[in-house]
Amino acid sequence: MLALRLTRTAHLAVQLRRLLVAAASAGTGFLLLCALGHALSHPDAPGASALRLAWCAAPLAAAVYLAVAVARTDPGTRPRSGLSAIGLGPGRLMAVSATTTALSAALGSVVALLAFLYLRGSLTGRPPSDRVAADALAVGQSLPAPAVLTLLVLVPALASAAVAHTLRPRDPRPAAAAAPRGYGRFGAYGWGKARETFGAYGRFGARTAAAAPADSRAAAAAPAGSRAAGAMGVPPLERSREWGRVRAGGALQTQASDPHPPAPTNVTTQTLDAAPPPPVDTTPDTPAEPAPRPQNTTALPWGIAVLTAGLTVETYTGNAAGAPTPGTAPSAGVLIGWALTALGLALAGPGLTHLCGRLLQAARPGALRLLAGRVLMEESQRVGRPLGVVAAVAAAAYVTATVYDGDGPAFGPLSTLGALLVAGCTVATLLTAAVEARHARADTTDALRRLGAPPATLRAAAAVRAAALLALFVPLVLIVAVLAALPLDH
């Protein structure tokens, strides 16, 4: 009931995104039912029917990916303070989000079933006249109810499971696991325990203020004589701070610049020496707010390796099988190669986006390039993976346009529907991730505006980010597409 109420009272933009999930589920369910109809119409060709069913994995994955992106940007299921007291903790909100996603996908599956029954003439009593459509719709044959139910439940089940896995409650990361392991200001060798925010390095007193609590604890734990003996080895700034607290005699003193020190207190040297030293606090200093999660760019080598493996598999199977004959789809080996290529681009997307942000800040950047580069580095995990998936789809579109030309095999209506589903879902996922990133940096944008940053500068920074991403990904897409089309274009 709570999921239904949140669905009914959501904003218009949220409802439109959920309708996109329902449309993607409807298109995917219709393709799955058409694969079942082909299997019923051609019982003597199980291999071709299995290949059609395997090609439905691409729109299925795209629909599930879109459902996860829409669930992440849903403001109704976002954790807020005080909700745990009424039983709406992170686990309950995750279940509500998964239920909402399942309802949207189930609505699409119902629409797919109705469209399939209408086109095959089960509702109107008029079967289609096209022979190709009749073969795909299994006209004149009874549909097995368990198989239809299984195929229609597939999209809602996978989408809700993916949303539950993505939005599952996570325990806070312990501080010991984030110990520094390298050197370099921006993590040239490894990431520190807490990443620096924008402009923190150049802020006055940022480095001395961080070291002040540790120095005060060490000074309180050490005996008075050792402090006096070690005063000559302390830097001038620390020595002035040390002599501003207590001198070797035990009397409180002002800073070194005060010409009139106060009168000694009643605290004697014996009392100070007899008092036990306070315990030294060995716990690390934790900030008031949790530090941002470090960007994980270690997947970039794995993405390049998977991309290379996919191109290798596609080249080998394409040279062995040759170009697809008219009226048939590429072989299963080519499908596996394309899947590995798309997976490699998706894995390499965050690392490439992070690298693009670093390149923007190279060679003495100004305020505009520095702001654009830092935003790209912060949003590399959120935007990089959908951008890599869009690059993979663009490369596949180039290969399809090269292979399925005027002399190539026929590109039927079901193939067109599948291509439109994959392209539409990936582009919608990228736009949804961009909206999520904009909401995530809303506080930073408001702070920049309060500091006097003109709106034109923020728009120019967004244009610089878009231009940098296009300059990096467009040549990459062309190279991958040309290499993928070589074994099929002969």
Side-chain angles (χ1 to χ4, degrees):
M1 292 300 296
L2 180 60
L4 290 175
R5 290 179 180 178
L6 291 176
T7 302
R8 184 173 54 88
T9 59
H11 296 286
L12 180 60
V14 179
Q15 298 286 14
L16 289 178
R17 289 195 290 265
R18 290 172 180 170
L19 286 179
L20 286 178
V21 174
S25 175
T28 307
F30 184 78
L31 290 178
L32 290 172
L33 291 178
C34 288
L36 175 63
H38 184 274
L40 293 176
S41 301
H42 301 275
D44 54 343
S49 301
L51 185 59
R52 282 174 174 262
L53 185 61
W55 274 103
C56 294
L60 177 62
V64 171
Y65 196 39
L66 176 62
V68 172
V70 169
R72 287 172 58 92
T73 57
D74 192 353
T77 57
R78 191 170 300 167
R80 299 182 183 90
S81 58
L83 291 181
S84 299
I86 60 175
L88 292 178
R92 180 73 179 275
L93 290 178
M94 178 268 296
V96 169
S97 182
T99 305
T100 305
T101 304
L103 290 176
S104 302
L107 176 62
S109 297
V110 172
V111 172
L113 178 61
L114 293 178
F116 185 79
L117 294 178
Y118 176 80
L119 291 177
R120 74 190 303 264
S122 299
L123 299 180
T124 60
R126 292 178 297 178
S129 58
D130 191 1
R131 183 178 177 275
V132 177
D135 290 341
L137 298 174
V139 177
Q141 299 187 19
S142 60
L143 297 176
V148 172
L149 184 62
T150 301
L151 293 177
L152 291 179
V153 170
L154 191 60
V155 180
L158 291 179
S160 59
V163 168
H165 176 74
T166 304
L167 302 182
R168 68 189 186 278
R170 295 179 176 86
D171 295 332
R173 192 177 182 182
R181 63 177 184 88
Y183 52 86
R185 179 185 158 217
F186 287 108
Y189 176 75
W191 297 100
K193 66 177 181 179
R195 295 179 60 246
E196 299 170 345
T197 57
F198 180 74
Y201 187 83
R203 194 174 296 124
F204 179 75
R207 293 292 177 256
T208 58
D215 296 337
S216 61
R217 288 194 299 267
S226 62
R227 289 198 299 267
M232 299 304 295
V234 181
L237 180 61
E238 303 299 330
R239 191 184 309 146
S240 62
R241 186 185 297 117
E242 187 69 25
W243 282 98
R245 295 191 184 95
V246 61
R247 203 173 57 184
L252 292 173
Q253 298 291 329
T254 59
Q255 293 186 359
S257 60
D258 192 356
H260 303 287
T265 60
N266 294 329
V267 181
T268 60
T269 309
Q270 290 80 7
T271 305
L272 289 176
D273 293 337
V280 180
D281 188 9
T282 59
T283 59
D285 297 331
T286 57
E289 296 181 357
R293 185 169 56 93
Q295 308 292 336
N296 184 14
T297 58
T298 57
L300 180 58
W302 290 103
I304 296 175
V306 174
L307 174 62
T308 306
L311 292 175
T312 303
V313 170
E314 183 182 352
T315 302
Y316 178 77
T317 55
N319 291 331
T325 58
T328 61
S331 61
V334 175
L335 175 61
I336 295 174
W338 282 1
L340 289 177
T341 302
L343 179 61
L345 285 174
L347 290 177
L352 292 176
T353 307
H354 193 276
L355 177 62
C356 188
R358 282 188 176 273
L359 292 178
L360 274 179
Q361 303 175 79
R364 303 183 65 179
L368 186 62
R369 284 199 295 136
L370 189 63
L371 178 61
R374 293 292 289 181
V375 170
L376 276 182
M377 291 173 62
E378 291 292 332
E379 297 176 355
S380 59
Q381 294 293 325
R382 186 177 287 110
V383 183
R385 186 153 292 137
L387 193 58
V389 175
V390 170
V393 172
Y398 179 86
V399 174
T400 303
T402 303
V403 176
Y404 289 88
D405 52 4
D407 299 331
F411 200 75
L414 295 180
S415 302
T416 305
L417 176 60
L420 290 178
L421 271 176
V422 173
C425 289
T426 52
V427 173
T429 303
L430 178 60
L431 295 178
T432 306
V435 171
E436 181 187 2
R438 183 180 180 181
H439 291 166
R441 66 172 185 271
D443 296 337
T444 304
T445 304
D446 294 340
L448 289 175
R449 288 175 177 171
R450 288 194 301 267
L451 291 175
T457 302
L458 300 178
R459 290 193 295 266
V464 169
R465 294 196 301 269
L469 291 176
L470 288 176
L472 179 64
F473 277 91
V474 168
L476 176 64
V477 168
L478 292 177
I479 293 173
V480 172
V482 169
L483 292 178
L486 282 178
L488 299 178
D489 192 13
H490 60 270

